[in-house]
Amino acid sequence: MSLAESRPQQDCPARGRPRSEAVERAILEGVMKLLEDGVPLADLSIERIARTAGVGKATIYRRWSDKEDLFVDVLRAAEPEDPELPGTSVRDDFVMLLESQRRRGLATRSSAILHNVYAQMKSSPKIWAAYHATVVAPRRRIGREVLRRGLENGELRRDVDIDLLHDMLVGPMLVRSLLRPDAPLEEGLAEQIVDTVLEGLRPVSSPGA
Amino acid sequence: MSLAESRPQQDCPARGRPRSEAVERAILEGVMKLLEDGVPLADLSIERIARTAGVGKATIYRRWSDKEDLFVDVLRAAEPEDPELPGTSVRDDFVMLLESQRRRGLATRSSAILHNVYAQMKSSPKIWAAYHATVVAPRRRIGREVLRRGLENGELRRDVDIDLLHDMLVGPMLVRSLLRPDAPLEEGLAEQIVDTVLEGLRPVSSPGA
């Protein structure tokens, strides 16, 4: 970053040379603005983004190696932040992880941009792969770490593969938030899913019939 | 169907007036051929499909009300058929339902067309809605029917909403087949998921530490 880039960010489009963080924000907001205007991801060139954000193409390439990289950061900026886990039990940690997933689901439903970008991302293997590698995979690693602890301290049955345990805990919320846009994402859902998956779907007291 | 449409189907493209079923097949295969050639769904006009299948546009419109309707049938033709359920228990029926989901997942991975069409479908709200209404929703109704029986005869706990019970059973396999293209879809997975979700993730015998 050159010291010359120290002018405060203008409203829009940014002129001159605003500071580093402000430049970044202007670029991310430029992409969001284009998406809000209905420009498809595939048509978003670095040139067009640069023009909208009022920066040079080189300024963008100094921060992101390519378009896919940039889009992943746009998504990150639009998504709610990932939570700190309490670290007390598989139950408590996964309630937190699923609650965060639920909030992302709600954010996607209420934000036309997020909704639009997710939908388009799925049809772009390159962006999907970038999002997966930098956002989804790290989240999954955190969940696996929680499960590994739970296997060690006896909270979880040991006859099921850790990867499958993970899919069983996150699957129901993922189905609701990603595949069933009309399904309820009500408060308390994270607790209910985690507790029920841990205890099982069989009747709790005495089995009938 | 006029009686004049009785000439057997030619190899391709079909000329003259082949029989009804053969016409249908020629049209579905025409769409698949175009998709195989890499034509994006959005660029597939009824006119182009008619030309490829060697039929008139009216012949297509006699069978499908619009492009979306036709695409859903292309998908249906490419997907493995839905199974007959044994009807003996929630466990057995859901093993069958999840096994069918697993096979669809495998088919999607091995078929470039299916893979491509699913991916594009997700970015086309109209096709997605049509596929959902005519393929996914009926499957879900069948699953709910199985669960309703299981709630009545005491196989399932009654303190969880039927819709959520459904998501808990199908979620893990859906995650694997739709959201995690690299995850294993090994034989026996359906049984393992259903049994584990029914019994819960807690240790089976005595809980440790």
Side-chain angles (χ1 to χ4, degrees):
Chain A
M1 234 7 31
S2 103
L3 280 174
E5 295 195 23
S6 58
R7 232 174 98 184
Q9 195 198 17
Q10 305 292 316
D11 252 341
C12 81
R15 292 198 185 282
R17 292 176 157 259
R19 280 176 311 113
S20 167
E21 219 181 289
V23 168
E24 212 152 286
R25 205 170 50 227
I27 294 166
L28 296 177
E29 280 170 4
V31 178
M32 289 204 203
K33 194 193 166 308
L34 288 167
L35 292 170
E36 258 172 19
D37 292 349
V39 181
L41 268 185
D43 295 353
L44 279 186
S45 62
I46 291 287
E47 187 163 353
R48 190 160 179 188
I49 294 165
R51 209 164 52 233
T52 307
V55 301
K57 276 164 64 175
T59 307
I60 295 182
Y61 281 120
R62 218 176 297 142
R63 288 167 180 82
W64 294 279
S65 61
D66 51 29
K67 224 169 76 165
E68 286 71 30
D69 243 29
L70 170 54
F71 289 156
V72 169
D73 270 359
V74 169
L75 268 173
R76 265 197 185 145
E79 277 184 345
E81 253 182 85
D82 281 348
E84 283 274 344
L85 299 185
T88 41
S89 64
V90 169
R91 193 260 174 203
D92 293 348
D93 284 0
F94 266 89
V95 165
M96 192 71 103
L97 288 169
L98 263 63
E99 173 62 13
S100 153
Q101 202 180 295
R102 185 181 79 92
R103 282 169 198 270
R104 276 197 302 279
L106 287 173
T108 308
R109 288 180 190 185
S110 63
S111 151
I113 301 179
L114 265 180
H115 187 81
N116 183 10
V117 175
Y118 280 123
Q120 294 188 54
M121 190 170 63
K122 283 179 207 146
S123 64
S124 159
K126 266 188 88 177
I127 304 177
W128 182 253
Y131 180 73
H132 210 275
T134 59
V135 179
V136 179
R139 263 182 213 144
R140 212 171 158 90
R141 272 197 295 280
I142 291 171
R144 285 175 62 95
E145 202 36 63
V146 172
L147 293 175
R148 200 166 293 123
R149 263 184 8 236
L151 284 167
E152 270 165 28
N153 69 20
E155 282 180 85
L156 297 170
R157 55 196 289 171
R158 288 168 206 242
D159 58 340
V160 181
D161 172 71
I162 198 168
D163 226 38
L164 191 54
L165 287 172
H166 194 272
D167 289 339
M168 287 179 179
L169 282 160
V170 300
M173 189 69 91
L174 278 175
V175 165
R176 295 225 154 181
S177 52
L178 296 182
L179 303 173
R180 303 186 56 218
D182 300 326
L185 283 177
E186 70 271 24
E187 225 170 298
L189 184 60
E191 285 90 338
Q192 201 191 5
I193 289 177
V194 174
D195 286 336
T196 312
V197 171
L198 286 173
E199 299 307 332
L201 305 192
R202 297 280 190 207
V204 184
S205 45
S206 66
Chain B
M1 240 357 39
S2 103
L3 280 174
E5 293 194 24
S6 59
R7 232 174 99 184
Q9 196 197 17
Q10 307 291 316
D11 251 341
C12 81
R15 292 197 185 283
R17 291 176 160 259
R19 280 177 310 114
S20 166
E21 218 180 291
V23 168
E24 212 151 286
R25 206 170 48 227
I27 294 166
L28 295 178
E29 280 169 5
V31 178
M32 289 204 202
K33 197 194 163 308
L34 289 167
L35 292 171
E36 259 171 18
D37 293 348
V39 180
L41 269 186
D43 294 354
L44 279 185
S45 62
I46 291 287
E47 186 161 355
R48 190 161 178 187
I49 294 165
R51 209 163 53 231
T52 306
V55 301
K57 277 164 64 175
T59 307
I60 296 183
Y61 281 121
R62 217 176 298 141
R63 288 168 178 83
W64 294 279
S65 61
D66 51 29
K67 225 169 73 163
E68 286 71 31
D69 242 27
L70 171 54
F71 289 155
V72 170
D73 270 358
V74 170
L75 268 173
R76 266 200 184 141
E79 277 185 346
E81 254 182 84
D82 281 348
E84 282 274 344
L85 299 186
T88 41
S89 63
V90 169
R91 193 259 173 201
D92 293 348
D93 284 359
F94 266 89
V95 166
M96 193 70 104
L97 288 170
L98 263 63
E99 174 61 11
S100 153
Q101 202 180 298
R102 186 182 78 92
R103 283 170 198 270
R104 276 198 301 281
L106 287 173
T108 307
R109 288 180 190 186
S110 63
S111 152
I113 301 179
L114 265 180
H115 187 82
N116 183 8
V117 175
Y118 280 123
Q120 294 188 53
M121 191 169 65
K122 283 178 208 148
S123 64
S124 159
K126 265 188 89 177
I127 305 177
W128 182 252
Y131 180 74
H132 209 275
T134 59
V135 180
V136 179
R139 265 184 211 143
R140 213 172 156 89
R141 272 197 296 277
I142 290 170
R144 285 174 62 97
E145 201 37 63
V146 172
L147 293 175
R148 199 164 295 122
R149 262 184 9 235
L151 283 168
E152 269 165 29
N153 68 22
E155 282 181 85
L156 297 170
R157 55 196 289 171
R158 288 167 205 242
D159 58 339
V160 180
D161 171 71
I162 198 167
D163 226 38
L164 191 55
L165 287 172
H166 195 273
D167 289 339
M168 287 179 180
L169 282 159
V170 300
M173 190 69 92
L174 279 175
V175 166
R176 294 224 156 183
S177 53
L178 297 182
L179 303 175
R180 301 186 56 218
D182 300 326
L185 284 176
E186 70 271 23
E187 227 171 294
L189 184 60
E191 284 90 337
Q192 201 191 5
I193 289 177
V194 173
D195 287 335
T196 313
V197 171
L198 285 173
E199 299 308 331
L201 305 191
R202 296 281 189 205
V204 183
S205 46
S206 66

